[in-house]
Amino acid sequence: MNTKLFRYCVWGLALVSIVLLLVSIPNHDFYVDEAFIGEYAYHFARDGFVHSTFWEGYLRQDEYVVLHHQFATWSGAAMIRLFGAHLWSVRLVSLGAGLMILSLIWRLAGRYWRWAIEQRILALAVLLCIPSFFYHVKCFRPEVETAAFGLLSFYALWAALMEEKSSERKRIFAVMIAGLASGAAMLTHLAGCMYAGAGLFLLIKERRWAWVFIFCVAALLAFSPYPLDVWLHRDIASLQASQPQAQAKFAFQWWTPFLHLLNEQERFFRKPQFIFTSVLCFVLVVVTWRNKTPHRSFLRMYCAALVVVLGVMLEDKRDYFALYAPFLALLIADAAPDVWSKGRIAKIVCGVCAVAFVGYGLYFQAADALQKENVSELNREITRSIPDGARCLAPLNLMYDEIGRLHFIAFNQAFATLEGDRPTITAGSLKHFCDIRAIDYVIMNRFGEVRDVIADAETSAAMLDSAFLTIRRTNDYWLLQRRKH
């Protein structure tokens, strides 16, 4: 571990990753949920409660929105109040949470686990090489902020359960912090239940019954704004929970948890962004399984609990890998130094997996850093000829930076058919919707979702031409004005 080659590789990887991270931040790739959550944050910042003009007339969301990522919305609203409704301002939420994760890893590994500086740098470099973390830390989505609260909960649990030299008062305070942090994670995203469940499991395992009570009370206290909001607006909550996408998540049979857990492997092995990290972590844990230390056993048990809890509760296996990322980075950095004392075959296998992980991580970082999209600039170009206050049917991304000046309604509300959360918009449904809602302009741009298009635009060109005037059409956008007969 103390060889010059190891130090050079670790420091070099960390330096390159930081440089690529900094390069990738300006005009980073746009993710559709950044507008979805961003609009909620905008209205909360302006009006003090969450509602939506994009979803005007749909499930009473123009009156009040109950089902949303509350702490993420509040955090975004704080940034909007400070810096305005810009994409870069709300992205500061995830960047700040990412810095919090890096600092917690550094402090935990240095203060409690007594890692050498190269090993701590390795943990940070590995985290930045995990594609899901590298991508989401620059997006206004709740995963990284949720993971930050989860890591804080883990940190506090370690201080409470493993630092026996601390006073009882300090350890109880740490349990309270652990509970509050896990509750805040749930308030940011319901998948944060994984941290509460893992913490509760470790406390029960240690038979700390009084601490179990303190942890649960603190977690429920931090999470309480969500159920309280649901109770106070239960009629709207019931209506908004009735939409097909929500109903699919609430579907439950006695075998559902087991099926979810069985399918949790999909989150780790579904595509390259996850596979290389998962394989390296798994191989390192297997190779160093017998090298038990207190912090290693604690970390691995906590991570196993995370997998079980999230696997059971979350049917959606598409992503959320960033929720695991800080802990996978710790697992990898913790086990890596011990490989030097293993046999030749173990070294070769671990080395191949490490090279593949780092190689793909650097490739992803470079590709991500070069992928630039200026959403606000394109939207200014599209809307420059539209008068203030005009009612526009548009993709959600038009909120950056045009919300407030124009009245936007979500493009996919004009659906002809709806399967789950997948609408199909036709020329006929578009004309009908614009007529009954008095829409002035229709906007489509390249930052919209795949479904934000007119499915039969080519075959129904005559109908479109009779109902709408094309103001401009380029490779990047299409601006239509409704003809008023």
Side-chain angles (χ1 to χ4, degrees), residues 130-179:
I130 296 177
S132 188
F133 180 84
F134 190 85
Y135 181 87
H136 286 296
V137 77
K138 296 157 296 186
C139 293
F140 180 48
R141 278 182 55 86
E143 285 89 345
V144 175
E145 189 175 18
T146 305
F149 284 123
L151 186 60
L152 176 59
S153 181
F154 173 79
Y155 183 107
L157 274 175
W158 170 269
L161 289 172
M162 304 302 289
E163 288 300 300
E164 297 179 355
K165 294 181 180 179
S166 297
S167 66
E168 185 71 9
R169 184 177 179 181
K170 286 184 177 179
R171 297 172 76 183
I172 291 174
F173 180 72
V175 172
M176 290 176 58
I177 296 298

Side-chain angles (χ1 to χ4, degrees), residues 281-356:
C281 187
F282 179 77
V283 168
L284 286 174
V285 168
V286 169
V287 167
T288 61
W289 184 255
R290 294 184 179 182
N291 300 43
K292 296 293 179 67
T293 62
H295 78 262
R296 180 169 294 173
S297 298
F298 187 90
L299 173 62
R300 292 178 178 179
M301 194 173 301
Y302 186 88
C303 290
L306 291 181
V307 173
V308 172
V309 176
L310 187 64
V312 165
M313 66 166 287
L314 199 61
E315 178 269 341
D316 187 353
K317 308 299 181 183
R318 290 176 297 177
D319 204 334
Y320 302 114
F321 195 78
L323 299 174
Y324 288 117
F327 302 95
L328 297 179
L330 285 171
L331 285 170
I332 291 171
D334 175 58
D338 286 2
V339 175
W340 296 93
S341 62
K342 300 299 176 182
R344 183 179 179 184
I345 294 178
K347 289 179 182 177
I348 292 174
V349 172
C350 292
V352 169
C353 292
V355 169

Side-chain angles (χ1 to χ4, degrees), residues 31 42 261 376:
Y31 197 104
Y42 169 81
L261 183 58
S376 301

Side-chain angles (χ1 to χ4, degrees), residues 421-473:
D421 64 340
R422 299 186 180 280
T424 299
I425 295 94
T426 65
S429 69
L430 182 66
K431 179 184 182 305
H432 177 70
F433 186 86
C434 290
D435 286 343
I436 64 173
R437 291 292 189 90
I439 302 295
D440 302 308
Y441 296 89
V442 175
I443 301 169
M444 289 161 279
N445 69 8
R446 66 185 177 89
F447 297 120
E449 295 184 84
V450 175
R451 56 202 181 204
D452 287 338
V453 296
I454 305 168
D456 60 348
E458 299 302 324
T459 58
S460 302
M463 178 187 293
L464 277 174
D465 188 59
S466 67
F468 300 96
L469 172 67
T470 295
I471 304 299
R472 281 189 305 277
R473 187 173 186 179

